[in-house]
């Protein structure tokens, strides 16, 4: 989800998952598998955008793009900052707290004491 107030900043939400992508697989082929895995209805899935993200910057993909060609194949610093993002509306219910308890987030922070 892009936060327009933050000038193209990406806000991640939901549960990340691993998906094997073959060398020659196009985005259209990957999308079929993702839709099946996530069980998203056609009408909703048609609204989703797919982007290759590197260091938080999205590069939107077309159905004909070969997805694997976007990712670095070497063990390079920052390679873990590359992923395939699915841009869609966050439909999960938000848990809100009183403004003075935690005014910057929906979740309470976890405190760890030693």
């Amino acid at each position: 989800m892009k936060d327009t107030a933050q000038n193209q900043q990406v806000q991640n939400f939901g549960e990340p998952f691993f998906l094997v992508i073959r060398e020659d697989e196009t985005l259209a082929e990957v999308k079929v598998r993702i839709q099946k895995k996530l069980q998203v209805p056609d009408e909703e899935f048609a609204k989703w955008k797919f982007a290759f993200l590197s260091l938080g910057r999205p590069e939107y993909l077309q159905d004909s793009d070969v997805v694997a060609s976007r990712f670095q194949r070497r063990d390079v610093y920052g390679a873990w900052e590359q992923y395939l993002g699915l841009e869609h509306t966050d439909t999960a219910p938000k848990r809100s707290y009183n403004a003075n308890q935690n005014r910057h987030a929906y979740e309470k922070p976890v405190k760890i004491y030693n």
Side-chain angles (χ1 to χ4, degrees):
M1 175 172 72
K2 280 199 304 191
D3 185 356
T4 54
Q6 295 293 321
N7 192 20
Q8 304 294 326
Q9 282 287 349
V10 173
Q11 297 291 325
N12 292 327
F13 63 88
E15 298 295 325
F17 59 91
F18 286 104
L19 182 74
V20 175
I21 298 173
R22 294 184 308 273
E23 289 282 327
D24 60 344
E25 200 168 19
T26 64
L27 178 61
E29 295 167 317
V30 172
K31 285 168 70 172
V32 169
R33 294 193 298 124
I34 290 174
Q35 183 179 11
K36 184 177 179 180
K37 178 180 180 64
L38 299 179
Q39 300 177 351
V40 179
D42 291 341
E43 185 177 316
E44 177 65 24
F45 196 74
K47 299 174 189 174
W48 290 20
K49 294 180 185 176
F50 289 74
F52 168 75
L53 284 101
S54 179
L55 301 173
R57 288 185 290 262
E59 177 186 336
Y60 290 95
L61 303 176
Q62 302 298 316
D63 282 350
S64 60
D65 290 337
V66 176
V67 178
S69 67
R70 304 285 183 190
F71 293 89
Q72 293 179 358
R73 291 182 172 79
R74 314 183 288 286
D75 186 20
V76 177
Y77 176 78
W80 60 87
E81 290 290 338
Q82 298 179 341
Y83 57 94
L84 180 65
L86 317 177
E87 183 179 307
H88 60 95
T89 304
D90 184 3
T91 58
K94 303 276 189 272
R95 290 187 285 167
S96 62
Y97 296 93
N98 292 340
N100 57 356
Q101 284 182 326
N102 188 357
R103 58 192 174 114
H104 297 294
Y106 291 105
E107 302 286 331
K108 282 188 174 181
V110 175
K111 295 179 183 179
I112 301 173
Y113 300 97
N114 290 343

